[in-house]
Amino acid sequence: MTRIQLAYPKIPDSKNCHHEQCIAFEKYDGTNLHWVWEVELGWYAFGTRRSRFDLDEMGIAEFNAAHPGLEAAPEIFKRDFASPLESIFRENEQYQCGEITVFAEFLGANSFAGMHQKDDRKQLVLFDVETEGGMVVPERFIQDFGKLNIARVIYRGKLTGKFMDDVRKGKYGVDEGVVCKGGRNANNLWMVKIKTDAYMQRLQQAFQDDWENYWE
């Protein structure tokens, strides 16, 4: 295992958000994992937001020992994502670069605040791809990866106060909330997360005084 800097950036809350055109994706209540592809090595590494392991038998065993409850993740990734993602990278000029990192949320039907039920059927939901030029912008992400199990698109349009209030009040049928993404290229890409009031109440009930550690 290697300790790394934060593999995926911390998404700001909506206090100082951009009131611009965006695409809002469902935010899933699971564990953020990343997977690293290199043009010569193929898929060679994976891990959490702060740790990285070799994507081989020994590395997977180390990952399983370090992160109990996430053991199904490597097999799901190899089964559902590894080959189709590599095909996209090799066939599309945009992805002709040395290294690419993809990000997916690991969860089951009853996952909550990063904790997973052993008997749940688990899945990975792809939500971002990062090349050497930065994160793939949302419209391109949908276009290139939409045939895979990607985060559900909830809304397209201007990020308004009404939309944010409607998300919080549960009008869009999401459990935890949404992530709004905007910008035309990697240099001006922005992201904002909005969580539901119902999810906040669940956190308060489960963690009492420590609930804000799991919030925005």
Side-chain angles (χ1 to χ4, degrees), residues 37 84-97 100 131 136 140-141 143-145:
W37 181 85
L85 281 171
E86 182 162 3
S87 295
I88 293 170
F89 298 158
R90 294 192 181 279
E91 294 169 5
N92 192 315
E93 289 186 2
Q94 170 152 336
Y95 304 104
Q96 300 302 303
C97 57
I100 299 173
T131 71
V136 175
R140 186 73 192 231
F141 174 79
Q143 176 183 322
D144 292 346
F145 304 101

Side-chain angles (χ1 to χ4, degrees), residues 150-161:
I150 69 169
R152 183 166 62 104
V153 175
I154 300 300
Y155 170 84
R156 295 173 184 260
K158 188 175 181 180
L159 180 53
T160 64

Side-chain angles (χ1 to χ4, degrees), residues 7 9 21 33 46 50 68 71 90 92 94 113 128 142 145 184 189 214 216:
Q21 294 294 313
L33 300 177
F46 77 115
R50 296 188 181 276
E71 295 90 347
R90 294 192 181 279
N92 192 315
Q94 170 152 336
D128 260 319
I142 295 168
F145 304 101
R184 297 182 178 180
L189 177 69
Y214 302 86
E216 298 180 349

Side-chain angles (χ1 to χ4, degrees), residues 24-95:
F25 296 86
E26 181 166 3
K27 187 179 191 306
Y28 296 88
D29 187 5
T31 299
N32 182 321
L33 300 177
H34 71 280
W35 314 82
V36 190
W37 181 85
E38 201 267 343
V39 65
E40 298 294 337
L41 298 175
W43 296 105
Y44 77 93
F46 77 115
T48 64
R49 296 181 77 175
R50 296 188 181 276
S51 63
R52 181 167 291 177
F53 301 79
D54 292 336
L55 190 52
D56 58 19
E57 186 175 345
M58 181 177 294
I60 291 172
E62 292 174 349
F63 172 82
N64 291 344
H67 300 288
L70 307 182
E71 295 90 347
E75 185 59 35
I76 294 172
F77 181 80
K78 290 181 178 181
R79 182 192 70 205
D80 296 343
F81 290 95
S83 180
L85 281 171
E86 182 162 3
S87 295
I88 293 170
F89 298 158
R90 294 192 181 279
E91 294 169 5
N92 192 315
E93 289 186 2
Q94 170 152 336
Y95 304 104

Side-chain angles (χ1 to χ4, degrees), residues 160-171 194 197:
T160 64
K162 183 180 186 306
F163 171 72
M164 291 187 284
D165 287 343
D166 286 346
V167 170
R168 295 189 182 104
K169 292 175 182 177
K171 293 185 178 180
I194 306 163
D197 292 340

Side-chain angles (χ1 to χ4, degrees), residues 94-207:
Q94 170 152 336
Y95 304 104
Q96 300 302 303
C97 57
E99 187 170 282
I100 299 173
T101 304
V102 303
F103 300 91
E105 198 81 1
F106 174 81
L107 70 155
N110 297 294
S111 295
F112 175 60
M115 296 175 288
H116 309 286
Q117 299 298 316
K118 181 178 180 180
D119 294 334
D120 279 358
R121 182 183 179 188
K122 309 298 193 305
Q123 64 170 322
L124 286 170
V125 181
L126 186 70
F127 62 85
D128 260 319
V129 174
E130 183 178 29
T131 71
E132 293 172 346
M135 291 288 185
V136 175
V137 294
E139 200 66 70
R140 186 73 192 231
F141 174 79
I142 295 168
Q143 176 183 322
D144 292 346
F145 304 101
K147 292 184 179 180
L148 302 177
N149 188 32
I150 69 169
R152 183 166 62 104
V153 175
I154 300 300
Y155 170 84
R156 295 173 184 260
K158 188 175 181 180
L159 180 53
T160 64
K162 183 180 186 306
F163 171 72
M164 291 187 284
D165 287 343
D166 286 346
V167 170
R168 295 189 182 104
K169 292 175 182 177
K171 293 185 178 180
Y172 283 88
V174 295
D175 179 18
E176 181 176 351
V178 302
V179 175
C180 302
K181 302 178 183 180
R184 297 182 178 180
N185 56 61
N187 294 325
N188 60 24
L189 177 69
W190 56 269
M191 296 187 285
V192 167
K193 62 185 175 184
I194 306 163
K195 297 188 179 182
T196 66
D197 292 340
Y199 187 72
M200 179 178 66
Q201 293 168 6
R202 288 185 66 196
L203 291 177
Q204 291 172 335
Q205 291 172 359
F207 302 106

